[in-house]
Every structure is written in C-alpha cells, then in structure tokens.
Amino acid sequence: MAKFCKECKEVIYGRSDKKFCDAACRNLYHNRLLKAQDNGVQHIQATIKNNRRILAYLYQNKAQTCVQKTTLEAMGYNFAFHTHEWRNGKSVCVFCLDYGLVMDQEALTIMPFTLP
Ligand SMILES: [Zn+2]
C-alpha cells in the first residue's frame, strides 16, 4: 500500500516509517505548524498588550477613579485575557503585566492601578 507525503501528498518511496518525501517537505510541514502556533501566541500577546495600554491610559488619566465595565469594553478591553491575578477575600485584582484592575463583587466597576 502506497504512503503519501504529509506535505505535498506525493507517493513516498523508501523506509516504511517515512512521513515525508524529503527534508524540504518535512521542513515546510513543521515550519507551517510552528507558524500556526506562533499566530495563536501573537494574538494572545497582542490582546494583553492592548488591555495593558487601556489600563495605563485610564490609570494615568483617572487614577484612583472607578470605571464602568462597559466603558472598558467599549475601549476594546478583553476580559478573557490577563497575565495573573490576586485574590484577597472577595476582592479580585486582575493584571495585564504591571497594570491591574480591582473589580467589585459584581465586576461592574473597576479601579485601574499599577504596581509600585
Ligand atoms: Zn513531499
């Protein structure tokens, strides 16, 4: 039974465990996989960077002032992405690198802050 290259789909000749017709196809295949993985990471990094930019802007312009969750969302903040969080009792502090936000219990108002 013929086997086919995972990259170019041509018939493979040689060892029974070969997956690619040659090194060029093997490299193309793996480089494409790595690029797809990098694109996912780049999307996450870009989202966190955008969140941080929004928090930095709010902190510098309205330090110690609560902001409505809807305002953050309208600015493009994505609540699904952050770098880490602190929990202190019922309070949750969510960070995007060095800028963070404190959510009230209903997570409707948010106070931006930065690490000292
Ligand atoms: Zn091939």
Side-chain angles (χ1 to χ4, degrees):
M1 187 171 139
K3 288 185 69 177
F4 299 92
C5 175
K6 289 175 86 173
E7 178 62 23
C8 70
K9 314 300 181 212
E10 293 291 320
V11 175
I12 300 175
Y13 300 100
R15 287 189 345 243
S16 62
D17 62 340
K18 270 181 93 172
K19 296 175 184 167
F20 304 96
C21 55
D22 58 19
C25 275
R26 184 181 62 238
N27 288 338
L28 281 172
Y29 179 83
H30 287 112
N31 285 342
R32 192 163 29 79
L33 277 187
L34 284 176
K35 188 170 189 233
Q37 291 169 353
D38 281 352
N39 285 344
V41 171
Q42 285 173 358
H43 168 71
I44 293 168
Q45 288 174 327
T47 303
I48 289 173
K49 191 174 172 184
N50 188 54
N51 283 351
R52 182 194 179 275
R53 184 186 55 76
I54 292 166
L55 292 178
Y57 173 82
L58 290 171
Y59 179 78
Q60 288 161 5
N61 291 284
K62 298 178 181 178
Q64 306 299 311
T65 303
C66 285
V67 181
Q68 295 293 312
K69 183 178 184 181
T70 52
T71 302
L72 274 172
E73 289 169 337
M75 293 174 79
Y77 192 91
N78 187 334
F79 283 90
F81 292 91
H82 57 270
T83 54
H84 58 291
E85 62 184 47
W86 291 345
R87 288 183 183 273
N88 184 9
K90 292 180 179 176
S91 294
V92 179
C93 307
V94 177
F95 288 87
C96 290
L97 302 170
D98 54 337
Y99 284 91
L101 49 87
V102 181
M103 292 194 214
D104 65 12
Q105 286 185 359
E106 296 81 31
L108 296 177
T109 58
I110 287 145
M111 183 181 293
F113 67 98
T114 187
L115 293 174

